[in-house]
Structures are given as structure tokens and as C-alpha cells.
Amino acid sequence: MTNTMWGGRFAASPAEIMEEINASIDFDKRLWRHDILASKAHVTMLAATGIVTKKDAREISKGLDQILAEMEAGKFKFSRALEDIHLNVESRLHKLIGPVAGKLHTARSRNDQVATDFKLYVRDEIAGLDAAFAALQLALVTMALEHAATVMPGFTHLQTAQPITFGHHCLAYVEMLARDRGRFADAAKRLSECPLGSAALAGTSFPIDRNMTAKALGFTKPTANSLDAVSDRDFALETLADASIAAMHLSRLAEEIVLWTSPQFGFARLSDGFSTGSSIMPQKRNPDAAELVRAKTGRIAGAFQALLMVMKGLPLAYAKDMQEDKEPVFDALDALKLGVAAMAGMVGDLEINADAMRQAAGREYATATDLADWLVQNLGIPFREAHHITGQIVAMAESKDCDLKNLKLSEIQAVEPRVTKHVFAVLDPSQSAKSRKSQGGTAPTNVRREARRWIKRLEKDGLSR
């Protein structure tokens, strides 16, 4: 038999494979709460405008509440024959209250209905992600404050560059996550236009009040163009793009945790709670949680590309292709939420080996730039010349297989006679880090100030250490 919700035009049932490819209830049932919320707002508006009677509206609303209770209790039976969440709800409503249930769909279409449900879902997910990112920021800020003066090597090209503080390194990720939160907040602002009332594509002839439904659902206003409203998935694409960037940031931090916890670095250790073992090598401690966070970036970025390809060739307005919009969003946001939570746990769990960091910061001539700066500041040598002189001194230290601070003054003076014993003060990694007091620099005083500023900011988000 044909689907009773739309089958009047059809004399025969869909092919079995058609039913299989057409059904979306297996994944869009996740929208059940949002679908009922939007339906209640819609029927309340229909009653307020006189399109349906208040009695019918009360009966419909009561039925929707019963369906909501069934779903919350896990007792609702979803049917693949009814295709999607919208028809499943409407069919159950009809069984509960009879033909009056059919009035719920007055002045709307599944096209504006699904766009509204999907926006409500994405908006809720963004709010949850913001709280999760804030928690990760707090974990990083707490670590930064604790290790404001812990010296480590800073890298470029993954080669030792200059001494920095571990606290400064942590705060770099706090800034990245702040931009992520800002992007998601921007996406939430742009999606805050309500599609409900756009109907299939052209609007409706019923005297509906779209401002009323928009306000009831927490949107700032109704969408301005019915064609755009039902065919727009920019809000999902933008959220996936933001998720891809955020996942990339998590992946970079995950990669560093993998490096730091390796015996070759020895900068940090993860507890058993965030490590796994090997089925064959008893000694192994694998940072699998970090590796999985790193790997999930691929599926999140892939989801963005998948939806982009779905949308790129579609003429206005709605096309069934757009049924493929939800699964990538659901999967990507689930993966991102899991990754953020795992990363917050790992950051809070890290045991930092400050001695190993400090020793590494003193190797590979990390204070060479400090030596060049000393030549500029104390001898008035142009930086390019100071750079060349320092390079010669580094080459000498390398030939003697020693650090810069272990060279004799006479050896340094053989390259530049005007150098004094005071030069050795700047060759200490801790002093190097302390000297970087410029705005945004790595000095412990800067780190403590920035960490405290971030703590106050995060406390406004309702978080506390």
C-alpha cells in the first residue's frame, strides 16, 4: 500500500529498494524533541490566528505531549514505512486523537519543518560545544598557571628554536579555542532565523504569524525568503566548517601529547586512564586517546566536504538530495564532542616532567638568538652582523660538542673581542624566557597575567577551577 501521509496521487506501493533508500527515520529520529517543540509552537500559532480552533489546538498539543513522554521513556515505536521523524510523529498523533491530527500540518510543509528542526538541533549542539570548549580552556589555563615558569624548548620546523614556558604553550591553545568558540557563536547568530511558515517553497495563503512561531522557538526573526529558507543548509555547512577547524586544533594538541609522552621527548606522562597497552609488547604505554582525537579530524573534515558536495549542484528549492544533510552533521558533531571531552581529560591528567623540559630547553643552542640580541643591545652591532657572529660562535660550540654557556669567554672573544663575561647571563634558558616580556611574549609574568585574565573570563561562563 502507498504511504497514507502522501500516497493519494499514487496507485501502487513503492519498490522495496525505493523504501530502503527513501527512509531517513533511522537517523533523523534524533530530531524528535525538536520536531515536537516546533509542532507545538506551530499549532499554538494556528490557534492564535484562528486557522484552527483552540479546542483542536489543545487536543493536538496534548497528543504531542503524550508522544514526547513516550519518546522520553523510550517506548515510542518508530516505523521505517513512515520514512521520517515528521511522519512518524504525525501518524502516532492520528492514532491518539483521530482525524483532528491532520490539522497540525496546515500552513506548513515537511520542507520548512525539517529546516526548522535541523536548525534547532544545530543550535543546541553549538551551545553544548561552547560549554565543552570552555571546560577544555579552563583545563589548559589551570595547567598554564601551574607551569608559568616551567621552561621548555619552543620549536619551529619541529627543530629547537628558542626557550619558552610550558604555560605559554598551553595558552596558545586557549587562544585557538577562543577563536573556535567565536566561530560557533557567529554561526549560531546567523542560523537564528526561523524557516517555519515558508511551507514547501512559496509561503502559504493562510494568515499565519511567523513572528510568533519564531519567538516561541527562540529565533530572532523569521527567514525573509521562502525559497531560501527551505533550500538553505548554510547553517549546517558553516557549523561543519567551524567543527573542522576546531578538530584541527584538537589534532595539533593531540599530536603534541603523543610527542611529549614518547620516551624520546619524555616531557609528560599520561596515566592509565588515558593510555592503553599492547597485545604483544608488555612494556608499551600507548597514548591512544590522543591518537583517536587526532584521527577524528578526518571524519569531521570529511563531513564538511560531503555536505558541500551534496549542496553544490542543487537548483532551488528543496531536493531529496538534502536528506543526506543530517548524517554527516550528526556524526561530525558527535565526534567533535567526544574529542573535546577526551582532550579536557587528557590535559587535566598530564603529569609534566619539568626537569626534562628544562634540560631540553638548554640543548641545541636554543639561546643563540639571545646572544645575537645581546650583541645588538650591548655592542651596538647591527642585527644582521650580530646574526653572522652568533652563527660563527654556534659553529664553534658545535665543533667542541658543548652548549653555548659552556664555551670559555676567551673562545667567544676569539670571534668578537668586545664580548664581556656578562654575556653568559643571557645564555641561560630560564633567563631567556623571563626576558621575553613584550606583549604576547613567553615571560612567566606575562603567562600568569594572561592565565588569571582567562580564569576571570571563564568564570563568567559559569566555570570555576
Side-chain angles (χ1 to χ4, degrees):
M1 61 181 291
T2 59
N3 190 318
T4 58
M5 294 296 171
W6 53 258
R9 169 67 174 80
F10 296 81
S13 299
E16 184 177 342
I17 193 64
M18 177 60 193
E19 289 187 343
E20 184 66 24
I21 196 172
N22 194 47
S24 61
I25 189 60
D26 292 341
F27 54 85
D28 70 18
K29 61 186 177 184
R30 185 184 292 217
L31 300 175
W32 59 268
R33 189 180 300 278
H34 307 92
D35 193 70
I36 291 175
L37 179 67
S39 289
K40 291 191 69 174
H42 182 66
V43 75
T44 299
M45 179 275 295
L46 292 179
T49 54
I51 297 172
V52 301
T53 66
K54 287 182 169 56
K55 179 179 180 297
D56 286 346
R58 284 194 298 270
E59 195 170 353
I60 290 170
S61 186
K62 184 178 178 181
L64 289 170
D65 285 338
Q66 183 172 337
I67 295 170
L68 180 64
E70 291 173 358
M71 289 180 168
E72 288 176 336
K75 296 180 179 179
F76 188 91
K77 294 182 180 179
F78 294 97
S79 169
R80 297 190 87 246
L82 291 169
E83 300 179 19
D84 58 32
I85 183 60
H86 321 299
L87 296 189
N88 269 264
V89 170
E90 189 172 338
S91 176
R92 177 59 177 156
L93 186 64
H94 190 274
K95 289 179 181 178
L96 289 173
I97 67 174
V100 71
K103 296 184 178 183
L104 173 60
H105 209 54
T106 306
R108 76 175 184 184
S109 160
R110 278 192 291 175
N111 294 354
D112 62 335
Q113 191 178 357
V114 69
T116 303
D117 292 357
F118 200 15
K119 277 194 171 185
L120 290 170
Y121 172 84
V122 171
R123 186 180 69 185
D124 285 351
E125 290 296 292
I126 287 174
L129 279 168
D130 185 68
F133 278 119
L136 175 53
Q137 282 182 301
L138 184 60
L140 287 162
V141 170
T142 301
M143 184 71 79
L145 196 57
E146 181 181 351
H147 292 280
T150 299
V151 178
M152 68 176 290
F155 300 96
T156 61
H157 309 276
L158 203 57
Q159 304 294 311
T160 299
Q162 292 178 266
I164 61 170
T165 56
F166 183 61
H168 190 60
H169 198 110
C170 291
L171 289 179
Y173 284 101
V174 175
E175 294 294 330
M176 292 183 204
L177 297 173
R179 294 194 294 273
D180 292 326
R181 293 179 67 189
R183 274 184 284 268
F184 280 117
D186 288 343
K189 288 178 184 177
R190 266 183 289 280
L191 72 74
S192 193
E193 296 183 358
C194 184
L196 198 58
S198 298
L201 75 162
T204 179
S205 59
F206 289 95
I208 61 174
D209 185 345
R210 293 191 64 207
N211 284 296
M212 181 179 176
T213 48
K215 183 178 180 180
L217 294 172
F219 291 102
T220 55
K221 60 182 178 180
T223 51
N225 184 286
S226 59
L227 278 171
D228 176 55
V230 299
S231 60
D232 166 46
R233 292 298 183 270
D234 288 2
F235 65 92
L237 282 165
E238 183 175 2
T239 300
L240 287 178
D242 297 344
S244 299
I245 296 172
M248 175 270 292
H249 289 153
L250 295 182
S251 182
R252 295 182 74 178
L253 179 53
E255 169 68 8
E256 300 212 278
I257 290 175
V258 170
L259 291 173
W260 294 339
T261 57
S262 69
Q264 290 73 19
F265 274 73
F267 288 178
R269 185 179 187 275
L270 283 169
S271 73
D272 293 353
F274 287 94
S275 304
T276 64
S278 165
S279 64
I280 189 173
M281 295 169 283
Q283 83 283 6
K284 292 294 295 297
R285 291 181 60 83
N286 299 324
D288 282 8
E291 292 171 356
L292 288 166
V293 169
R294 186 174 60 185
K296 288 183 185 298
T297 305
R299 67 194 293 178
I300 295 169
F304 171 66
Q305 288 297 324
L307 183 53
L308 196 65
M309 292 303 100
V310 168
M311 299 302 299
K312 74 173 182 64
L314 297 186
L316 298 179
Y318 182 83
K320 195 67 171 183
D321 309 53
M322 293 166 70
Q323 185 168 291
E324 292 293 311
D325 59 356
K326 294 166 204 66
E327 284 186 284
V329 173
F330 294 162
D331 183 72
L333 297 186
D334 284 349
L336 184 59
K337 285 186 293 185
L338 183 58
V340 177
M343 188 57 69
M346 280 185 284
V347 170
D349 183 75
L350 274 180
E351 297 176 18
I352 302 304
N353 187 339
D355 289 338
M357 285 186 172
R358 191 175 297 108
Q359 290 174 21
R363 294 194 292 265
E364 299 299 326
Y365 317 109
T367 55
T369 303
D370 298 271
L371 173 55
D373 289 346
W374 188 91
L375 295 174
V376 171
Q377 293 168 351
N378 291 274
L379 303 182
I381 299 174
F383 182 80
R384 281 298 165 211
E385 183 180 345
H387 185 285
H388 182 74
I389 292 169
T390 301
Q392 291 178 304
I393 296 171
V394 168
M396 177 193 298
E398 190 172 30
S399 70
K400 295 179 177 294
D401 193 25
C402 70
D403 295 329
L404 291 175
K405 64 181 180 180
N406 293 327
L407 287 172
K408 296 177 181 178
L409 178 59
S410 60
E411 291 172 328
I412 297 175
Q413 289 175 331
V415 179
E416 172 48 64
R418 292 174 290 173
V419 174
T420 69
K421 64 180 181 180
H422 300 294
V423 74
F424 290 101
V426 301
L427 300 182
D428 176 77
S430 294
Q431 291 301 318
S432 172
K434 287 180 181 179
S435 71
R436 307 291 170 177
K437 295 181 180 179
S438 60
Q439 185 173 350
T442 191
T445 52
N446 288 12
V447 172
R448 292 187 185 96
R449 182 175 61 249
E450 284 300 297
R452 293 186 181 111
R453 180 181 69 84
W454 268 111
I455 287 171
K456 288 181 179 179
R457 183 170 167 179
L458 292 168
E459 284 175 346
K460 291 180 180 179
D461 295 329
L463 298 177
S464 59
R465 294 173 63 202

